Amino acid sequence: MDEIFHVPQAQKYCEGKFSEWDPMITTLPGLYLVSVGVIKPAVWLVDCTEHLVCSTAMLRFVNLLFNCGNLYILYLIICKLHVKEKSWASGRRVLCALTLSTFPVLYFFTFLYYTDAGSTFFTLFAHLMCLYGCHKAAALLGVCAVLFRQSNVIWVVFCAGSVIAQKMDEAWSLEQSKKRDEKSPSRTLLAVHGARKVARFLLGYLTTPVNVKAAISSTWPYATACLGFGAFVVLNDGIVVGDRSSHEACLNFPQLFYFFSFTLAFSLPVSLSLQQLVRFLQVLRRHLSPLLLVTLVSVLLVWKFTFVHKYLLADNRHFTFYLWKNIYQKHQLVRFLLVPGYLFAAWAFLDTLKTKSLFWTLAFCVCLVAATVPQKLLEFRYFIVPYLLFRVHAPLPSLPRLLLEFGLYTVVNAATIYIFLYKTFRWADSDTVQRFMW
């Protein structure tokens, strides 16, 4: 449905009309620039007819290339993050990358001319370069990601945050080595005393000139990219280009709960286990009072900060329309009754990432909040990048679990593509064929 805007705009770029812009488009022209840069040389080499140049099929082919790139980038990230796995785990790394490249929401839009495949490619590529310490290249790739979708600047910040988190881990380990009665950061620090200790450490670290200088010297490429984005926001008088009326920022805190539920559903084959359920029950028994407080705060956030976009209520082509209609609109209390499920999903999310350091997890969660909460529209495409980052940083699953995950994705992909192709309908006031999609 967005192709009616993206395709004509790309075709204008193919014709060299770079000054013409559709005001309904709200993202920067990265997709169109890359499309022209890929298609034009290919046309010269193959000597295609004028009819095929920048046709819808050729433009969609660009996204197929991006998804091939996503498969390779995911494989390289997994190899980098799980390098300590045994040598015979190489097959699992390949299967994990292949499975994530078929992640249903991303896979579906690979066959259409949308920004998601390219946006994901450059964001993951930037993250890969960050993992290898190539921060200038990572920042440059981050700029490319922003040209596809402005909100990707958050993941540029995350690259910088992960670098600083690593330095904090080193400083914490050095500090704790001087205090043999204390341990390295772990989830036990989430107790009140531990949280205060971490807060004091963060305050002391971030106010020490030597540490600040070290942080700036190691993250200046990302800072430069973010300053450039800040200049764009000032000159553009906002983040959105084109139509701003349908993309207003707000504090939609339940978006975070939707993301945790979404993550739990798609990672169910690789994350949920009997041992995890037992651990959750033990947490409930040991920390009942704090969890009741968190539940109360969550109910308050759902009550006061739930925003419903007009598109969610009016556009019956999206699956989210039916999710909202058949669950959330059944009764006004439903959104509150779902809070315990949200909290379990959030706990499962953090429990899966328990092998990561506390400071890395803090950086990731801060960026996750920044990427989801300001969004008024419930749109699963906005969850693609944070979900993939979550999965690649989670422990490498066993082969049976990966096969289950691949099977789940295959079934979901087959069902959604079948519905899209064959379960069409028409609106009462239009003869145009409408299709169901994510």
Side-chain angles (χ1 to χ4, degrees), residues 92-330:
R92 285 193 292 151
R93 298 189 190 100
V94 173
L95 180 58
C96 186
L98 177 63
T99 300
L100 292 180
S101 70
T102 63
F103 175 56
V105 184
L106 175 62
Y107 185 78
F108 181 88
F109 289 104
T110 296
F111 301 101
L112 301 175
Y113 193 59
Y114 275 58
T115 59
D116 301 278
S119 169
T120 303
F121 172 80
F122 283 109
T123 304
L124 291 177
F125 203 172
H127 187 61
L128 175 66
M129 291 297 99
C130 178
L131 292 175
Y132 275 98
C134 304
H135 300 301
K136 294 177 184 178
L140 182 60
L141 289 164
V143 172
C144 295
V146 171
L147 289 175
F148 277 73
R149 185 169 291 165
Q150 292 92 308
S151 58
N152 285 334
V153 71
I154 294 167
W155 304 114
V156 177
V157 174
F158 172 64
C159 288
S162 61
V163 173
I164 296 173
Q166 183 178 5
K167 293 186 175 298
M168 285 184 174
D169 290 332
E170 295 169 357
W172 177 273
S173 299
L174 182 62
E175 180 178 308
Q176 298 312 305
S177 65
K178 301 175 182 177
K179 304 175 182 179
R180 298 185 180 277
D181 58 325
E182 298 187 27
K183 299 179 180 179
S184 59
S186 65
R187 291 303 181 272
T188 58
L189 291 174
L190 294 180
V192 176
H193 174 69
R196 289 175 179 172
K197 191 191 321 184
V198 172
R200 286 197 298 269
F201 172 81
L202 285 172
L203 182 63
Y205 185 90
L206 296 175
T207 54
T208 303
V210 174
N211 294 332
V212 173
K213 182 179 178 181
I216 293 174
S217 65
S218 58
T219 61
W220 69 264
Y222 306 112
T224 303
C226 291
L227 286 174
F229 182 79
F232 157 75
V233 172
V234 172
L235 293 174
N236 188 55
D237 195 24
I239 294 176
V240 177
V241 297
D243 180 28
R244 304 184 183 187
S245 61
S246 301
H247 295 81
E248 297 174 351
C250 62
L251 290 177
N252 193 3
F253 285 103
Q255 282 277 23
L256 198 58
F257 300 144
Y258 308 149
F259 172 77
F260 287 140
S261 304
F262 173 91
T263 299
L264 179 64
F266 280 104
S267 66
L268 206 60
V270 297
S271 62
L272 194 62
S273 64
L274 181 60
Q275 292 82 359
Q276 191 179 46
L277 292 174
V278 170
R279 286 198 303 273
F280 181 68
L281 293 176
Q282 291 173 343
V283 170
L284 282 177
R285 187 175 66 252
R286 296 173 184 172
H287 306 286
L288 184 59
S289 297
L291 284 174
L292 287 175
L293 179 60
V294 171
T295 303
L296 183 62
V297 172
S298 300
V299 169
L300 181 63
L301 292 176
V302 170
W303 178 34
K304 291 295 185 181
F305 293 95
T306 296
F307 293 89
V308 184
H309 199 283
K310 59 183 180 182
Y311 289 169
L312 184 61
L313 300 176
D315 196 338
N316 64 347
R317 295 171 293 183
H318 287 290
F319 296 148
T320 49
F321 170 88
Y322 299 95
L323 181 69
W324 195 266
K325 176 184 176 182
N326 295 322
I327 297 179
Y328 290 91
Q329 287 187 315
K330 281 295 183 182

Side-chain angles (χ1 to χ4, degrees), residues 349-389:
F349 177 86
L350 294 173
D351 185 66
T352 303
L353 293 176
K354 63 185 176 184
T355 56
K356 308 299 293 185
S357 74
L358 179 62
F359 299 116
W360 183 94
T361 305
L362 284 174
F364 184 52
C365 288
V366 168
C367 292
L368 177 62
V369 170
T372 56
V373 170
Q375 303 284 356
K376 188 175 183 179
L377 178 63
L378 175 56
E379 172 67 84
F380 289 151
R381 291 188 298 139
Y382 301 155
F383 296 162
I384 292 174
V385 170
Y387 177 82
L388 291 177
L389 288 175

